[in-house]
Amino acid sequence: MTAVATLAPAVSTAADIKAARVWAGPEYTRVVFDLSGPATYKMSQGDTPGSVVLDIAGSAVAGDFAAPGGQGLFKSMTAGKQGRTARMVATVDPKAKPKSFLLKPAGDYGYRLVLDLYPGGQSDPGDNPVTDDTPSVADAPAEAAVAITPRGSRGKTVPAGKPPMLASERKVVIAIDAGHGGEDPGARGATGLREKDVTLQVARELADQINRQPGMQAVLTRNGDYFIPLKRRYQIAREHNADMFVSIHADAFKNSDAKGSSVWVLSPRGKTSEAARWLADRENRADLVGGVSLDDKDDTLAAVLLDLQQGYAMQASESIAGNVLKALGRLGPTHRGYVERANFVVLRSPDVPSILVETAFITNPSEERRLRDDGHRRELATAVLGGVRNYFESMPPPGTWFAAQAARRNGTSVASTAASAPATPAVGSDADAIASSAVKSTARTPPSKKLAAKTDDQQLASADTPASAKKSTARADENVRDVHRVNRGETLTGIAQQYGVSVGALKLANKMTDNNVRIGTVMVIPSG
């Protein structure tokens, strides 16, 4: 077990440890300490294998504190005092991986210090297994985590009634996030219905319906009553190569008359602030964004590549959100009648189109009654599915079942691997070369390294801003709207239609002399 040290922000008041409790689930074991207020703490490995030490500064253990009994990966606990520091020593499975964090008051709970214990080799709950086999819906237990098929691979089991898929026709992956969970119950209705329960039920129903669709596969960020940090939720979607992320919630308001569904996407300000964080954080830059690492790029090139990918994700999010909102409107009134924007943490993935769906106002008595109804929850899931499916039918991702269906309808030929082409093209190198060319062909003025200090008027412009509206000191990607990697099953005409450009403009931008496209080629998408 690796030693871990975590420091929370300093506080002026001490927090007493009132109680502790344990919950052991199939994915991990959680130990929760109820505190009288905010706290400063440190977690470290004990002197003996299988011991985790939590030192809470300026605190004391309440007189009636009782250590919980062993469950799961948690075995026992002792409480003590060292000077002005309360020390809690937990004996755990020697192979367990500990992780800790603080939670602010929510619902019926006050401040809490959480110690999560994961089995050896596992990092977080919600990490549904990635397998080479896609189980049929009939074979999958209702409560089991939903497995997905990795991109580029093919499930060996095809559910009855589904048309066969070619090896190159991968499924689109939809990550479904059931909001709240565990220690965070979310909003509560007048009769006690909890948001965390509603969101999980709708998420499971949506996953089940998606898995019955040809060419689609669902993955749940959580499939039980446990808490997952907000940032971790969209990270799970990225790790599973999701084509889309849907977060399910139930709205609340102090006025019980508030009603209607709503759909949210990331705000432009949220996009810019996230770009600043991503470029400033070395760990983020080492991760892949759109299949390319930003870690070895200079600031100008990294900013261009990140903005192109964010621009694509936000444009797709807007389109998907509009489809879903229209579908929800057929079930009843929507709250605003238009897609709303906010800087929600779960919407900040730089390269996965993301939406947040507020199914209804749980604080409205009539809508709370509807949320209790199994049939209405199925209708909600069906509406979300319809909006999502319509998007992929009109804008199919390259190499997917939807793209192959579109090609068959159009009667067009598909991209094939040339005999001399490498089996695994160097996508990163191709993207570097294209982006570097774009940088060299335009103004040399690099964006400020201090992106976080930019004002709203200085935010990164969208990649499809008309050239006539740009200043002479244009961005490095002035003539480039996007970068596209050719996948199996694609045609030049299909790519042009996907981005709304002419075939001629696409050929000119990429210096092509014919209409043949090669798998693995990275193409520039012109801005006009």
Side-chain angles (χ1 to χ4, degrees), residues 174-175 234 237 242-247 262-268 270-271 308-326 338-342 344-357 384 387-392 394-395 397 482:
I174 315 298
Y234 76 73
D243 296 274
M244 182 185 168
F245 175 89
V246 183
S247 188
S262 58
V263 184
W264 298 74
V265 297
L266 186 65
S267 66
K271 168 183 177 289
L308 288 173
Q309 194 63 47
Q310 281 187 306
Y312 150 73
M314 290 192 68
Q315 185 179 31
S317 300
E318 290 271 0
S319 181
I320 296 168
N323 286 352
V324 171
L325 185 66
K326 185 181 298 183
Y338 54 83
V339 174
E340 301 181 69
R341 294 165 179 79
F344 294 135
V345 174
V346 293
L347 298 177
R348 293 178 186 170
S349 176
D351 52 0
V352 180
S354 305
I355 66 172
L356 185 145
V357 178
V384 175
V388 171
R389 186 181 55 225
N390 287 344
Y391 171 79
F392 287 117
S394 60
M395 302 290 287
D482 211 334

Side-chain angles (χ1 to χ4, degrees), residues 448-473:
S448 171
K449 293 183 180 180
K450 298 180 181 179
L451 290 177
K454 286 180 177 287
T455 65
D456 290 345
D457 292 335
Q458 295 171 313
Q459 291 178 1
L460 294 173
S462 63
D464 55 356
T465 303
S468 59
K470 297 184 179 181
K471 299 179 182 180
S472 58
T473 56

Side-chain angles (χ1 to χ4, degrees), residues 176 178 196-209 220 248-249 357 359 371 373 376-382 384:
I176 307 169
K196 69 174 183 178
D197 298 326
V198 172
T199 61
L200 183 58
Q201 290 163 346
V202 174
R204 284 173 171 168
E205 176 62 32
L206 178 56
D208 186 53
Q209 292 190 24
L220 292 166
I248 305 294
H249 287 258
V357 178
T359 54
L371 290 174
D373 182 67
H376 181 65
R377 290 196 298 266
R378 279 194 298 272
E379 290 179 341
L380 286 170
T382 300
V384 175

Side-chain angles (χ1 to χ4, degrees), residues 140-228:
E143 300 293 320
V146 181
I148 70 166
T149 301
R151 296 185 181 216
S153 66
R154 177 174 57 134
K156 298 177 182 178
T157 304
V158 180
K162 291 191 179 182
M165 297 171 61
L166 299 178
S168 60
E169 298 175 15
R170 72 167 181 85
K171 297 180 180 181
V172 294
V173 177
I174 315 298
I176 307 169
D177 173 49
H180 306 280
E183 295 294 309
D184 176 14
R188 189 186 297 267
T191 63
L193 183 62
R194 299 179 301 185
E195 182 179 5
K196 69 174 183 178
D197 298 326
V198 172
T199 61
L200 183 58
Q201 290 163 346
V202 174
R204 284 173 171 168
E205 176 62 32
L206 178 56
D208 186 53
Q209 292 190 24
I210 285 174
N211 288 331
R212 293 198 297 265
Q213 297 293 310
M216 300 182 75
Q217 185 72 48
V219 57
L220 292 166
T221 60
R222 72 177 178 96
N223 198 21
D225 186 16
Y226 45 81
F227 176 79
I228 302 176

